[in-house]
Coordinates of all heavy atoms in Angstrom, one line a residue:
M1 N -55.1 -143.2 -4.2 CA -56.0 -143.6 -3.2 C -56.7 -142.6 -2.4 O -57.6 -142.5 -1.8 CB -55.3 -144.7 -2.3 CG -55.0 -145.9 -3.0 SD -54.5 -147.2 -1.9 CE -52.9 -146.6 -1.3
V2 N -56.0 -141.3 -2.3 CA -56.4 -140.2 -1.6 C -56.5 -139.0 -2.4 O -55.6 -138.7 -3.3 CB -55.4 -139.9 -0.4 CG1 -55.8 -138.6 0.3 CG2 -55.3 -141.1 0.5
R3 N -57.7 -138.3 -2.3 CA -57.9 -137.1 -3.1 C -58.3 -136.0 -2.3 O -59.2 -136.1 -1.5 CB -59.0 -137.3 -4.2 CG -59.2 -136.2 -5.1 CD -60.2 -136.6 -6.2 NE -59.5 -137.5 -7.0 CZ -60.2 -138.1 -8.0 NH1 -61.5 -138.0 -8.2 NH2 -59.6 -139.0 -8.8
A4 N -57.5 -134.8 -2.4 CA -58.0 -133.6 -1.4 C -59.1 -133.0 -2.2 O -59.1 -132.8 -3.4 CB -56.8 -132.8 -1.3
K5 N -60.1 -132.4 -1.4 CA -61.2 -131.6 -2.0 C -60.6 -130.3 -2.5 O -59.6 -129.8 -2.2 CB -62.1 -131.1 -0.8 CG -62.9 -132.3 -0.2 CD -63.9 -131.9 0.8 CE -64.8 -133.1 1.3 NZ -65.7 -132.7 2.4
P6 N -61.3 -129.9 -3.7 CA -60.8 -128.7 -4.5 C -60.4 -127.5 -3.5 O -59.4 -126.9 -3.8 CB -61.9 -128.4 -5.4 CG -62.6 -129.7 -5.5 CD -62.6 -130.3 -4.3
E7 N -61.3 -127.2 -2.6 CA -61.0 -126.1 -1.9 C -59.7 -126.3 -0.9 O -59.0 -125.3 -0.6 CB -62.1 -125.7 -0.8 CG -62.6 -126.8 0.1 CD -63.7 -127.6 -0.6 OE1 -63.7 -127.8 -1.8 OE2 -64.6 -128.1 0.3
M8 N -59.4 -127.5 -0.6 CA -58.1 -127.8 0.1 C -56.9 -127.8 -0.9 O -55.8 -127.3 -0.6 CB -58.2 -129.2 0.8 CG -58.6 -129.1 2.2 SD -58.5 -130.7 2.9 CE -56.7 -130.8 3.2
R9 N -57.2 -128.3 -2.1 CA -56.2 -128.4 -3.1 C -55.5 -127.1 -3.3 O -54.4 -127.0 -3.5 CB -56.6 -129.1 -4.4 CG -56.5 -130.5 -4.4 CD -56.5 -131.1 -5.9 NE -57.6 -130.7 -6.6 CZ -58.7 -131.4 -6.8 NH1 -58.8 -132.6 -6.1 NH2 -59.6 -131.1 -7.6
K10 N -56.3 -126.0 -3.3 CA -55.8 -124.7 -3.7 C -54.9 -124.3 -2.6 O -53.9 -123.4 -2.8 CB -57.1 -123.7 -3.4 CG -58.0 -123.7 -4.7 CD -58.9 -122.5 -4.6 CE -60.2 -123.1 -4.9 NZ -61.4 -122.4 -4.2
A11 N -54.8 -124.9 -1.4 CA -53.9 -124.5 -0.4 C -52.7 -125.4 -0.3 O -51.8 -125.2 0.6 CB -54.5 -124.4 1.0
I12 N -52.5 -126.4 -1.1 CA -51.6 -127.4 -1.1 C -50.7 -127.2 -2.3 O -51.1 -127.1 -3.4 CB -52.1 -128.8 -1.1 CG1 -53.1 -128.9 0.1 CG2 -51.0 -129.9 -1.0 CD1 -53.8 -130.3 0.1
D13 N -49.3 -127.2 -2.2 CA -48.3 -127.5 -3.2 C -47.8 -128.8 -3.3 O -47.3 -129.3 -2.2 CB -47.1 -126.5 -3.0 CG -47.4 -125.1 -3.2 OD1 -48.3 -124.7 -3.9 OD2 -46.9 -124.1 -2.3
F14 N -48.1 -129.6 -4.4 CA -47.7 -130.8 -4.5 C -46.4 -130.7 -5.3 O -46.2 -130.1 -6.3 CB -48.7 -131.8 -5.3 CG -50.0 -132.1 -4.6 CD1 -51.1 -131.1 -4.8 CD2 -50.1 -133.0 -3.8 CE1 -52.3 -131.3 -4.2 CE2 -51.3 -133.2 -3.2 CZ -52.3 -132.4 -3.3
M15 N -45.3 -131.5 -4.8 CA -44.1 -131.5 -5.4 C -43.3 -132.8 -5.1 O -43.5 -133.4 -4.1 CB -43.2 -130.3 -5.2 CG -42.8 -130.0 -3.9 SD -41.8 -128.5 -3.7 CE -43.1 -127.2 -3.6
S16 N -42.5 -133.2 -6.0 CA -41.7 -134.4 -5.8 C -40.3 -134.0 -5.5 O -39.6 -133.2 -6.3 CB -41.7 -135.2 -7.2 OG -40.9 -136.3 -7.1
V17 N -39.7 -134.5 -4.4 CA -38.4 -134.1 -3.9 C -37.6 -135.3 -3.6 O -38.1 -136.3 -3.0 CB -38.5 -133.3 -2.6 CG1 -37.1 -132.9 -2.0 CG2 -39.4 -132.1 -3.0
N18 N -36.4 -135.5 -4.1 CA -35.5 -136.4 -3.8 C -34.8 -136.0 -2.4 O -33.9 -135.2 -2.4 CB -34.4 -136.7 -4.8 CG -33.5 -137.9 -4.5 OD1 -33.5 -138.4 -3.4 ND2 -32.8 -138.3 -5.5
L19 N -35.1 -136.8 -1.3 CA -34.6 -136.5 0.0 C -33.1 -136.6 0.0 O -32.5 -135.7 1.0 CB -35.3 -137.2 1.1 CG -36.7 -137.2 1.3 CD1 -37.3 -138.3 2.1 CD2 -37.1 -135.8 1.7
I20 N -32.4 -137.3 -0.8 CA -31.0 -137.4 -0.5 C -30.2 -136.5 -1.4 O -29.0 -136.5 -1.3 CB -30.5 -138.9 -0.8 CG1 -30.9 -139.4 -2.2 CG2 -31.0 -139.8 0.3 CD1 -30.2 -140.7 -2.5
R21 N -30.9 -135.6 -2.1 CA -30.2 -134.5 -2.8 C -30.3 -133.2 -1.9 O -31.3 -133.0 -1.1 CB -30.8 -134.2 -4.2 CG -30.5 -135.3 -5.1 CD -31.1 -135.0 -6.4 NE -30.9 -133.7 -6.8 CZ -30.7 -133.2 -8.2 NH1 -30.9 -134.1 -9.1 NH2 -30.5 -132.0 -8.4
D22 N -29.3 -132.4 -2.0 CA -29.3 -131.1 -1.2 C -29.8 -130.0 -1.8 O -29.2 -128.9 -1.7 CB -27.8 -131.0 -0.7 CG -27.7 -130.0 0.5 OD1 -28.8 -129.9 1.2 OD2 -26.6 -129.5 0.8
D23 N -30.8 -130.2 -2.7 CA -31.4 -129.0 -3.4 C -32.9 -129.0 -3.1 O -33.6 -128.6 -4.1 CB -31.2 -129.1 -4.9 CG -31.6 -130.3 -5.4 OD1 -32.2 -131.2 -4.7 OD2 -31.5 -130.5 -6.8
W24 N -33.3 -129.0 -1.9 CA -34.6 -129.0 -1.5 C -35.2 -127.6 -1.9 O -34.6 -126.6 -1.5 CB -34.9 -129.3 0.0 CG -34.5 -130.7 0.4 CD1 -33.9 -131.7 -0.3 CD2 -34.8 -131.3 1.7 NE1 -33.9 -132.8 0.4 CE2 -34.4 -132.6 1.6 CE3 -35.6 -130.9 2.9 CZ2 -34.4 -133.5 2.7 CZ3 -35.7 -131.7 3.9 CH2 -35.1 -133.1 3.8
P25 N -36.3 -127.6 -2.6 CA -36.9 -126.4 -3.0 C -37.7 -125.6 -2.1 O -38.2 -124.5 -2.3 CB -37.9 -126.8 -4.2 CG -38.3 -128.1 -3.6 CD -37.2 -128.7 -2.9
F26 N -37.8 -125.9 -0.8 CA -38.7 -125.2 0.2 C -38.2 -124.0 0.6 O -36.9 -123.8 0.9 CB -39.0 -126.1 1.4 CG -39.3 -127.5 1.0 CD1 -38.6 -128.6 1.5 CD2 -40.4 -127.8 0.2 CE1 -38.8 -129.9 1.2 CE2 -40.7 -129.1 -0.1 CZ -39.9 -130.2 0.3
R27 N -39.0 -122.9 0.6 CA -38.5 -121.5 1.0 C -39.0 -121.2 2.4 O -38.2 -120.7 3.3 CB -39.0 -120.5 0.1 CG -38.4 -120.6 -1.3 CD -38.3 -119.3 -2.0 NE -37.5 -119.5 -3.3 CZ -38.1 -120.0 -4.3 NH1 -39.4 -120.2 -4.3 NH2 -37.5 -120.1 -5.5
E28 N -40.4 -121.5 2.7 CA -40.9 -121.2 4.1 C -40.6 -122.3 4.9 O -40.7 -123.4 4.6 CB -42.4 -121.1 3.9 CG -42.7 -119.9 2.9 CD -42.6 -118.5 3.5 OE1 -42.5 -118.5 4.7 OE2 -42.2 -117.7 2.7
P29 N -40.3 -122.0 6.2 CA -40.1 -123.1 7.2 C -41.4 -123.8 7.6 O -42.5 -123.1 7.5 CB -39.6 -122.4 8.5 CG -39.8 -120.9 8.3 CD -39.9 -120.7 6.7
F30 N -41.4 -125.1 7.9 CA -42.5 -125.8 8.2 C -42.8 -125.9 9.7 O -41.9 -125.9 10.6 CB -42.4 -127.2 7.6 CG -42.4 -127.4 6.1 CD1 -41.2 -127.7 5.6 CD2 -43.5 -127.0 5.4 CE1 -41.1 -127.7 4.1 CE2 -43.4 -127.1 4.0 CZ -42.2 -127.4 3.3
D31 N -44.1 -126.0 10.1 CA -44.6 -126.4 11.4 C -44.3 -127.8 11.8 O -44.0 -128.3 12.8 CB -45.9 -126.0 11.7 CG -46.2 -124.4 11.6 OD1 -45.4 -123.6 12.2 OD2 -47.0 -124.0 10.8
V32 N -44.7 -128.7 10.6 CA -44.6 -130.1 10.8 C -44.1 -130.8 9.5 O -44.4 -130.3 8.5 CB -46.1 -130.6 11.0 CG1 -46.2 -132.0 11.2 CG2 -46.9 -130.0 12.3
V33 N -43.3 -131.9 9.8 CA -43.0 -132.7 8.6 C -43.3 -134.1 8.9 O -43.2 -134.5 10.1 CB -41.4 -132.7 8.5 CG1 -40.9 -133.7 7.6 CG2 -40.9 -131.2 8.0
F34 N -44.0 -134.7 8.0 CA -44.4 -136.2 8.1 C -43.4 -136.9 7.2 O -43.4 -136.6 6.0 CB -45.8 -136.4 7.8 CG -46.8 -135.7 8.6 CD1 -47.4 -134.5 8.2 CD2 -47.2 -136.4 9.7 CE1 -48.3 -133.8 9.1 CE2 -48.2 -135.7 10.6 CZ -48.8 -134.6 10.3
C35 N -42.6 -137.8 7.7 CA -41.7 -138.5 6.8 C -41.7 -140.0 7.4 O -40.7 -140.3 8.2 CB -40.4 -137.8 6.9 SG -39.2 -138.6 5.7
R36 N -42.7 -140.7 7.2 CA -42.9 -142.0 7.8 C -42.3 -143.0 6.8 O -42.7 -143.1 5.7 CB -44.4 -142.2 8.1 CG -45.0 -141.2 8.9 CD -46.5 -141.4 9.1 NE -46.8 -142.9 9.6 CZ -47.4 -143.8 8.9 NH1 -47.7 -143.5 7.7 NH2 -47.5 -145.0 9.5
N37 N -41.6 -143.9 7.4 CA -41.1 -145.2 6.7 C -40.3 -144.9 5.4 O -40.4 -145.6 4.5 CB -42.4 -146.1 6.4 CG -43.0 -146.5 7.8 OD1 -42.5 -146.8 8.8 ND2 -44.4 -146.3 7.8
V38 N -39.6 -143.8 5.4 CA -38.8 -143.5 4.2 C -37.3 -143.6 4.5 O -36.6 -144.2 3.8 CB -39.0 -142.0 3.8 CG1 -38.2 -141.6 2.6 CG2 -40.6 -141.8 3.4
M39 N -36.9 -143.2 5.7 CA -35.5 -143.2 6.1 C -35.1 -144.5 6.4 O -33.8 -144.7 6.5 CB -35.2 -142.2 7.1 CG -35.1 -140.7 6.6 SD -34.5 -139.5 7.7 CE -36.1 -139.0 8.5
I40 N -36.0 -145.5 6.7 CA -35.5 -146.9 7.0 C -34.8 -147.4 5.7 O -34.0 -148.4 5.9 CB -36.7 -147.8 7.1 CG1 -37.9 -147.5 6.3 CG2 -37.1 -147.8 8.6 CD1 -39.1 -148.4 6.4
Y41 N -35.0 -146.8 4.7 CA -34.2 -147.3 3.4 C -32.8 -146.7 3.4 O -32.0 -147.1 2.5 CB -34.9 -147.0 2.1 CG -36.3 -147.6 2.1 CD1 -37.5 -146.8 2.3 CD2 -36.3 -148.9 1.9 CE1 -38.7 -147.6 2.2 CE2 -37.6 -149.6 1.8 CZ -38.7 -148.9 2.0 OH -40.0 -149.4 2.1
F42 N -32.4 -145.7 4.2 CA -31.1 -145.0 4.0 C -30.2 -145.5 5.1 O -30.6 -145.9 6.3 CB -31.3 -143.5 4.3 CG -32.3 -142.7 3.4 CD1 -32.9 -141.7 3.8 CD2 -32.6 -143.4 2.1 CE1 -33.8 -141.1 2.9 CE2 -33.6 -142.8 1.2 CZ -34.1 -141.6 1.7
D43 N -28.8 -145.5 4.9 CA -27.8 -145.9 5.9 C -27.8 -144.9 6.9 O -28.2 -143.8 6.6 CB -26.6 -146.3 5.1 CG -25.9 -145.1 4.3 OD1 -26.3 -144.0 4.6 OD2 -25.1 -145.5 3.5
A44 N -27.0 -145.1 7.8 CA -26.9 -144.1 9.0 C -26.4 -142.8 8.7 O -27.1 -141.7 8.9 CB -26.2 -144.7 10.2
P45 N -25.3 -142.7 7.9 CA -24.8 -141.3 7.5 C -25.9 -140.5 6.7 O -26.0 -139.3 6.7 CB -23.5 -141.6 6.7 CG -23.1 -143.0 7.1 CD -24.4 -143.8 7.5
T46 N -26.6 -141.3 5.8 CA -27.6 -140.6 4.9 C -28.7 -140.1 5.7 O -29.2 -139.0 5.6 CB -28.1 -141.6 3.8 OG1 -26.9 -142.2 3.1 CG2 -29.0 -140.9 2.8
Q47 N -29.3 -141.0 6.6 CA -30.2 -140.6 7.6 C -29.9 -139.3 8.3 O -30.7 -138.4 8.5 CB -30.5 -141.7 8.5 CG -31.3 -142.8 8.0 CD -31.6 -143.9 9.3 OE1 -31.2 -143.8 10.2 NE2 -32.2 -145.0 8.8
R48 N -28.6 -139.3 8.8 CA -28.2 -138.1 9.5 C -28.3 -136.8 8.6 O -28.9 -135.8 9.1 CB -26.8 -138.4 10.0 CG -26.1 -137.1 10.6 CD -26.8 -136.7 12.0 NE -26.4 -135.4 12.5 CZ -26.5 -134.9 13.6 NH1 -27.0 -135.5 14.6 NH2 -26.2 -133.7 13.8
K49 N -27.8 -137.0 7.3 CA -27.8 -135.8 6.5 C -29.3 -135.3 6.1 O -29.6 -134.2 6.1 CB -27.2 -136.2 5.1 CG -25.7 -136.2 5.1 CD -25.2 -136.2 3.7 CE -23.8 -136.7 3.8 NZ -23.4 -137.4 2.6
V50 N -30.2 -136.3 6.1 CA -31.6 -136.1 5.7 C -32.2 -135.4 7.1 O -33.0 -134.4 6.9 CB -32.5 -137.4 5.3 CG1 -33.8 -136.9 5.2 CG2 -32.0 -137.7 3.9
L51 N -31.8 -135.9 8.2 CA -32.3 -135.3 9.5 C -31.9 -133.8 9.7 O -32.7 -133.0 10.1 CB -31.9 -136.2 10.7 CG -32.6 -137.4 10.8 CD1 -31.9 -138.2 12.0 CD2 -34.2 -137.2 11.3
E52 N -30.6 -133.6 9.2 CA -30.1 -132.3 9.2 C -30.9 -131.2 8.3 O -31.1 -130.1 8.6 CB -28.6 -132.2 8.9 CG -27.7 -132.7 10.1 CD -26.3 -133.0 9.6 OE1 -26.0 -132.7 8.4 OE2 -25.4 -133.5 10.4
R53 N -31.3 -131.9 7.1 CA -32.1 -131.0 6.3 C -33.5 -130.8 6.7 O -33.9 -129.7 6.6 CB -32.1 -131.7 4.8 CG -30.8 -131.6 4.1 CD -31.0 -132.4 2.7 NE -29.5 -132.6 2.3 CZ -29.1 -133.7 1.7 NH1 -29.8 -134.7 1.5 NH2 -27.8 -133.9 1.4
I54 N -34.1 -131.9 7.3 CA -35.4 -131.6 7.9 C -35.4 -130.6 9.0 O -36.2 -129.7 9.1 CB -35.9 -133.0 8.4 CG1 -36.3 -134.0 7.2 CG2 -37.2 -132.6 9.3 CD1 -36.6 -135.3 7.6
H55 N -34.3 -130.8 9.8 CA -34.0 -129.7 10.9 C -34.0 -128.3 10.3 O -34.5 -127.4 10.9 CB -32.7 -130.1 11.7 CG -32.4 -129.3 12.9 ND1 -31.7 -128.1 12.8 CD2 -32.7 -129.4 14.2 CE1 -31.5 -127.7 14.0 NE2 -32.1 -128.3 14.8
R56 N -33.3 -128.2 9.3 CA -33.0 -126.9 8.5 C -34.5 -126.2 8.2 O -34.7 -125.1 8.2 CB -32.1 -126.9 7.4 CG -31.0 -126.0 7.4 CD -30.1 -126.1 6.2 NE -29.3 -127.3 6.2 CZ -29.0 -128.0 5.3 NH1 -29.4 -127.9 4.0 NH2 -28.2 -129.2 5.4
V57 N -35.3 -127.1 7.6 CA -36.6 -126.7 7.1 C -37.8 -126.5 8.2 O -38.8 -126.1 7.8 CB -37.1 -127.4 5.8 CG1 -36.2 -127.5 4.7 CG2 -37.4 -128.8 6.2
L58 N -37.5 -127.0 9.3 CA -38.5 -127.0 10.3 C -38.3 -125.7 11.2 O -37.2 -125.3 11.5 CB -38.4 -128.2 11.2 CG -39.3 -129.3 11.1 CD1 -39.0 -130.4 12.0 CD2 -40.8 -129.1 11.2
K59 N -39.5 -125.1 11.6 CA -39.3 -124.0 12.6 C -38.8 -124.5 13.9 O -39.1 -125.8 14.3 CB -40.7 -123.4 12.8 CG -41.3 -122.6 11.7 CD -42.7 -122.1 12.0 CE -43.3 -121.5 10.7 NZ -44.9 -121.2 11.0
P60 N -38.2 -123.7 14.7 CA -37.8 -124.2 16.1 C -39.1 -124.6 16.9 O -40.2 -124.0 16.7 CB -37.3 -122.9 16.8 CG -36.7 -122.1 15.6 CD -37.7 -122.4 14.5
G61 N -39.1 -125.8 17.4 CA -40.3 -126.3 18.2 C -41.2 -127.0 17.2 O -42.2 -127.7 17.6
G62 N -40.8 -127.1 15.8 CA -41.7 -127.8 14.9 C -41.6 -129.3 15.2 O -40.6 -129.8 15.8
M63 N -42.6 -130.1 14.6 CA -42.7 -131.6 14.9 C -42.3 -132.3 13.7 O -42.7 -132.1 12.6 CB -44.0 -131.9 15.4 CG -44.5 -131.0 16.6 SD -43.3 -131.1 18.0 CE -43.9 -132.7 18.8
L64 N -41.6 -133.5 13.8 CA -41.3 -134.4 12.9 C -41.9 -135.7 13.3 O -41.7 -136.3 14.3 CB -39.8 -134.7 12.7 CG -39.3 -135.8 12.0 CD1 -39.8 -135.8 10.6 CD2 -37.7 -136.0 12.1
F65 N -42.7 -136.2 12.3 CA -43.5 -137.5 12.6 C -42.8 -138.5 11.6 O -42.7 -138.5 10.5 CB -45.0 -137.4 12.1 CG -45.8 -136.5 13.3 CD1 -45.7 -135.2 13.1 CD2 -46.5 -137.1 14.2 CE1 -46.3 -134.4 14.1 CE2 -47.4 -136.4 15.0 CZ -47.2 -135.0 15.0
V66 N -42.5 -139.6 12.3 CA -41.8 -140.8 11.6 C -42.5 -142.1 11.8 O -43.5 -142.0 12.4 CB -40.3 -140.9 12.0 CG1 -39.5 -139.6 11.8 CG2 -40.2 -141.3 13.5
G67 N -42.0 -143.2 11.2 CA -42.6 -144.4 11.3 C -42.3 -145.1 12.7 O -41.4 -144.8 13.3
H68 N -43.1 -146.2 12.9 CA -43.0 -146.9 14.2 C -41.6 -147.7 14.2 O -41.1 -147.8 15.3 CB -44.1 -147.9 14.4 CG -45.3 -147.3 14.7 ND1 -45.7 -146.9 16.0 CD2 -46.4 -146.9 14.1 CE1 -46.9 -146.3 16.0 NE2 -47.3 -146.3 14.7
A69 N -41.1 -148.1 13.1 CA -39.8 -148.8 13.1 C -38.5 -147.9 13.0 O -37.4 -148.4 13.0 CB -39.8 -149.7 11.9
E70 N -38.7 -146.5 13.0 CA -37.7 -145.7 12.9 C -37.3 -145.0 14.2 O -38.2 -144.6 14.9 CB -38.0 -144.5 11.9 CG -38.3 -145.1 10.6 CD -38.8 -144.1 9.5 OE1 -39.9 -143.6 9.8 OE2 -38.3 -144.0 8.5
N71 N -36.0 -144.9 14.5 CA -35.4 -144.3 15.7 C -34.3 -143.5 15.4 O -33.3 -143.9 14.8 CB -35.1 -145.5 16.7 CG -34.6 -145.0 18.0 OD1 -33.7 -144.0 18.1 ND2 -35.1 -145.6 19.1
F72 N -34.4 -142.1 15.8 CA -33.3 -141.3 15.5 C -32.8 -140.6 16.9 O -32.4 -139.5 16.9 CB -34.0 -140.1 14.7 CG -34.5 -140.7 13.4 CD1 -35.8 -140.6 13.1 CD2 -33.7 -141.5 12.5 CE1 -36.4 -141.1 11.8 CE2 -34.1 -142.0 11.4 CZ -35.6 -141.7 11.0
S73 N -32.8 -141.4 17.9 CA -32.3 -141.0 19.2 C -30.8 -140.5 19.2 O -30.4 -139.8 19.9 CB -32.6 -142.0 20.2 OG -32.0 -143.2 20.0
E74 N -30.0 -141.1 18.1 CA -28.7 -140.7 18.1 C -28.5 -139.2 17.5 O -27.4 -138.6 17.6 CB -27.9 -141.6 17.1 CG -27.6 -142.9 17.9 CD -26.8 -143.9 16.9 OE1 -26.3 -143.5 16.0 OE2 -26.8 -145.1 17.3
S75 N -29.6 -138.6 17.1 CA -29.6 -137.2 16.6 C -30.4 -136.4 17.6 O -31.1 -135.5 17.3 CB -30.2 -137.2 15.2 OG -29.3 -137.7 14.2
R76 N -30.1 -136.7 19.0 CA -30.8 -135.9 19.9 C -30.3 -134.4 20.1 O -31.0 -133.6 20.7 CB -30.8 -136.6 21.3 CG -29.5 -136.9 21.8 CD -29.5 -137.4 23.2 NE -30.1 -138.8 23.2 CZ -29.5 -140.0 23.0 NH1 -28.1 -139.9 22.8 NH2 -30.1 -141.1 23.1
D77 N -29.2 -134.2 19.3 CA -28.7 -132.7 19.3 C -29.6 -131.9 18.3 O -29.6 -130.7 18.4 CB -27.3 -132.7 18.7 CG -27.1 -133.3 17.3 OD1 -27.7 -134.5 17.1 OD2 -26.5 -132.8 16.5
L78 N -30.3 -132.7 17.5 CA -31.2 -132.0 16.5 C -32.7 -132.0 17.0 O -33.6 -131.1 16.7 CB -31.2 -132.6 15.1 CG -29.8 -132.6 14.4 CD1 -29.9 -133.4 13.1 CD2 -29.3 -131.3 14.4
F79 N -33.1 -133.3 17.5 CA -34.5 -133.5 17.9 C -34.6 -134.1 19.2 O -33.8 -134.9 19.5 CB -35.2 -134.5 16.8 CG -35.2 -133.9 15.4 CD1 -34.2 -134.1 14.5 CD2 -36.3 -133.2 15.1 CE1 -34.3 -133.6 13.2 CE2 -36.4 -132.5 13.8 CZ -35.5 -132.8 12.9
T80 N -35.6 -133.8 19.9 CA -36.0 -134.4 21.1 C -37.2 -135.3 20.9 O -38.4 -134.8 20.4 CB -36.4 -133.3 22.2 OG1 -35.3 -132.4 22.3 CG2 -36.7 -133.9 23.5
L81 N -37.2 -136.5 21.5 CA -38.4 -137.4 21.3 C -39.5 -136.9 22.2 O -39.3 -136.7 23.4 CB -37.9 -138.8 21.8 CG -38.8 -140.0 21.5 CD1 -39.2 -140.1 20.0 CD2 -38.3 -141.2 22.1
R82 N -40.7 -136.8 21.7 CA -41.8 -136.3 22.3 C -43.0 -137.3 22.4 O -44.0 -137.0 23.0 CB -42.3 -135.0 21.7 CG -41.5 -133.8 21.8 CD -41.5 -133.5 23.3 NE -40.6 -132.2 23.4 CZ -39.9 -131.9 24.4 NH1 -39.9 -132.9 25.5 NH2 -39.2 -130.8 24.7
G83 N -42.7 -138.4 21.7 CA -43.8 -139.4 21.8 C -43.1 -140.6 21.0 O -42.0 -140.5 20.7
K84 N -43.8 -141.7 20.9 CA -43.3 -142.8 20.2 C -42.6 -142.6 18.9 O -41.5 -143.1 18.7 CB -44.4 -144.1 20.2 CG -43.9 -145.4 20.7 CD -44.9 -146.4 20.7 CE -44.1 -147.7 21.0 NZ -44.8 -148.8 20.6
T85 N -43.4 -141.9 18.1 CA -42.8 -141.6 16.7 C -42.8 -140.1 16.5 O -43.0 -139.6 15.3 CB -43.8 -142.3 15.7 OG1 -45.1 -142.0 16.0 CG2 -43.6 -143.8 16.0
V86 N -42.8 -139.4 17.5 CA -42.9 -137.8 17.3 C -41.7 -137.2 17.9 O -41.2 -137.5 18.9 CB -44.0 -137.2 17.9 CG1 -44.1 -135.7 17.6 CG2 -45.3 -138.0 17.6
Y87 N -40.9 -136.4 17.1 CA -39.8 -135.7 17.5 C -40.0 -134.1 17.4 O -40.6 -133.7 16.4 CB -38.5 -135.9 16.6 CG -38.0 -137.3 16.9 CD1 -38.5 -138.4 16.2 CD2 -37.0 -137.7 17.7 CE1 -38.1 -139.7 16.3 CE2 -36.6 -138.9 18.0 CZ -37.1 -139.9 17.2 OH -36.7 -141.2 17.5
E88 N -39.5 -133.4 18.3 CA -39.5 -131.9 18.3 C -38.2 -131.4 17.9 O -37.2 -131.7 18.6 CB -40.0 -131.3 19.6 CG -40.0 -129.9 19.8 CD -40.5 -129.3 21.1 OE1 -41.0 -130.2 22.0 OE2 -40.4 -128.2 21.3
R89 N -38.2 -130.4 16.9 CA -36.9 -129.8 16.7 C -36.4 -129.0 17.7 O -37.0 -128.2 18.4 CB -37.2 -128.8 15.3 CG -36.0 -128.3 14.8 CD -36.4 -126.9 14.1 NE -35.2 -126.3 13.4 CZ -34.4 -125.5 13.8 NH1 -34.3 -125.3 15.2 NH2 -33.5 -125.0 13.1
R90 N -35.1 -129.1 18.0 CA -34.4 -128.3 19.0 C -33.9 -127.0 18.4 O -33.8 -126.8 17.2 CB -33.1 -129.1 19.4 CG -33.5 -130.3 20.2 CD -32.3 -131.1 20.6 NE -31.6 -130.5 21.5 CZ -31.7 -130.9 22.8 NH1 -32.3 -131.7 23.3 NH2 -30.7 -130.2 23.7
Ligands
LIG101 C1 -42.7 -147.6 2.7 S1 -43.0 -146.2 1.6 C2 -43.7 -145.1 2.9 C3 -44.9 -144.3 2.2 C4 -45.6 -143.4 3.2 N1 -44.6 -142.4 3.8 C5 -46.3 -144.1 4.4 O1 -46.0 -144.0 5.4 O2 -47.1 -144.8 4.0 C6 -41.4 -145.5 1.4 C7 -41.5 -144.3 0.4 O3 -40.2 -143.7 0.5 C8 -40.1 -143.1 -0.8 N2 -38.5 -142.8 -1.0 C9 -37.5 -143.6 -1.0 N3 -36.3 -143.0 -1.2 C10 -36.7 -141.7 -1.4 C11 -35.9 -140.5 -1.7 N4 -34.6 -140.6 -1.8 N5 -36.5 -139.4 -1.8 C12 -37.9 -139.3 -1.5 N6 -38.6 -140.4 -1.2 C13 -38.1 -141.5 -1.2 C14 -40.5 -144.0 -1.8 O4 -40.9 -143.4 -2.9 C15 -41.9 -144.6 -0.9 O5 -42.9 -143.8 -1.3

């Protein structure tokens, strides 16, 4: 349903990653992670593990965007809520 323009595509790496496996292939830290309406399918311990991995791949001060139904306030040691659905990496 969405197609990036060719000049943008050159700057994008598309890859498929299983979030619940601990072999994420990312090398460079990210400024922003969008992970909307995905972790609602995981139980609390799995959510925590995935949040720890996202914390690991984000730069300090990086932002995590989640869905409206998702709440990770129990992981405030990792992220600070900055908006309704936006968390800042600690
Ligand atoms: C409700 S959709 C949300 C899609 C999109 N993020 C959005 O907000 O429109 C849930 C997505 O979670 C993905 N998903 C579920 N378990 C996953 C996992 N273990 N690793 C990666 N993606 C997963 C599914 O493939 C699906 O695309």
Side-chain angles (χ1 to χ4, degrees):
M1 290 194 292
V2 175
R3 182 173 295 169
K5 290 185 174 176
E7 57 268 35
M8 267 187 76
R9 270 206 300 272
K10 281 187 231 149
I12 301 173
D13 289 326
F14 294 92
M15 59 180 84
S16 179
V17 174
N18 185 346
L19 295 173
I20 60 176
R21 287 182 48 152
D22 198 14
D23 57 356
W24 292 11
F26 313 121
R27 292 206 179 85
E28 299 294 323
F30 294 110
D31 296 302
V32 179
V33 168
F34 297 91
C35 189
R36 296 178 58 249
N37 304 314
V38 178
M39 284 190 272
I40 39 173
Y41 298 106
F42 303 156
D43 61 20
T46 308
Q47 285 184 355
R48 173 70 195 192
K49 277 189 203 149
V50 174
L51 283 171
E52 286 170 358
R53 286 178 198 139
I54 292 174
H55 184 268
R56 232 180 287 146
V57 301
L58 265 176
K59 292 178 185 170
M63 306 303 275
L64 166 63
F65 289 78
V66 301
H68 288 276
E70 295 170 310
N71 183 313
F72 304 118
S73 53
E74 283 180 17
S75 289
R76 56 177 69 86
D77 56 316
L78 302 177
F79 293 97
T80 305
L81 189 62
R82 290 292 183 216
K84 228 175 167 190
T85 58
V86 188
Y87 291 85
E88 181 180 345
R89 181 205 190 277
R90 295 173 68 99

